[in-house]
Amino acid sequence: GVVRRGRTTLRAPLAAASATEPPPRFWGQPLSGPHPLQLSVALSSGAEFTGKQGNSNKWYKVEVTLKHVDLQAARLCGFLTIHGLCKRYPKMVTFFEGELCGTPDFPFLTSKWGADERVDRQHWTRFRGFAGQAEEFQKASFSRDPRDRRADHFVFMRWKEHHLIEPSDVNTVPGASFDGFYYVCLDKRKRSVDGFYYHAESEWFQRLSLQHEAARSRSSGDFELR
């Protein structure tokens, strides 16, 4: 489904898949001991964020919980909750998976979900932390692994929603889709997240803005990195 605003068609980036989708997948095993990686507590299992998503005309309250972070695999997964997008379902929760970009398995070139080099460039360059790298990121030799001790305080990711967790008894939600994905940047110093949703048939550059909620976050202990 789509939401129409005047002459602009806005496809909201929310999952609307069958409740028969398989349960969330988790990668690997939690780290059993001290780990050399020094990332933020905002990028650990149990981290919670609150904020908003939308455009200049309309914003929606959003909450994100990182359920599992596997730094060795450069992957994570979690739940995204959005409020007020649909009158029939005032609260919707989706399951998403994420990739840490700049790592060997996940280059900045997306090469999937309908995104090519041009789309990547238009989105990555909107992040302040990506300044000066617009002409380099597409090269096979380009590396910016956030797990490297020499890395700066920005962590770039892609988040892809897969299916609806709540409500669980519907197949489709008018005005919602999960065909696209988010370009995401975590600022480790501010513990904040900025993101932009992309889908070719959606309004471009719908923004995601989140702040880590330290008091609400529930670390599993496996990835408590400070």
Side-chain angles (χ1 to χ4, degrees), residues 15-81:
S18 169
T20 61
E21 290 280 353
R25 305 189 302 274
F26 296 94
W27 304 275
Q29 298 296 322
L31 303 177
S32 59
H35 198 273
L37 308 182
Q38 295 296 318
L39 298 186
S40 172
V41 291
L43 192 61
S44 60
S45 300
E48 296 190 12
F49 299 82
T50 60
K52 59 185 180 180
Q53 176 182 307
N55 55 29
S56 58
N57 297 317
K58 182 69 174 180
W59 292 93
Y60 301 96
K61 179 182 177 182
V62 171
E63 300 159 355
V64 167
T65 300
L66 302 184
K67 301 300 292 184
H68 184 76
V69 177
D70 187 334
L71 296 177
Q72 290 178 321
R75 294 177 180 260
L76 57 85
C77 64
F79 297 151
L80 186 152
T81 302

Side-chain angles (χ1 to χ4, degrees), residues 1-5 9-16 53-55 58 60 80 82 84-86 92 94 161 173-182 197-199 201-203 206:
V2 295
V3 177
R4 299 185 183 276
R5 301 186 182 283
T9 298
L10 171 63
R11 183 183 298 274
L14 242 283
Q53 176 182 307
N55 55 29
K58 182 69 174 180
Y60 301 96
L80 186 152
I82 190 166
L85 181 67
C86 173
M92 289 189 286
T94 59
E161 290 175 295
V173 177
S177 168
F178 67 111
D179 295 329
F181 68 97
Y182 294 89
Y197 180 76
Y198 170 74
H199 182 260
E201 298 180 7
S202 303
E203 177 182 345
Q206 296 176 59

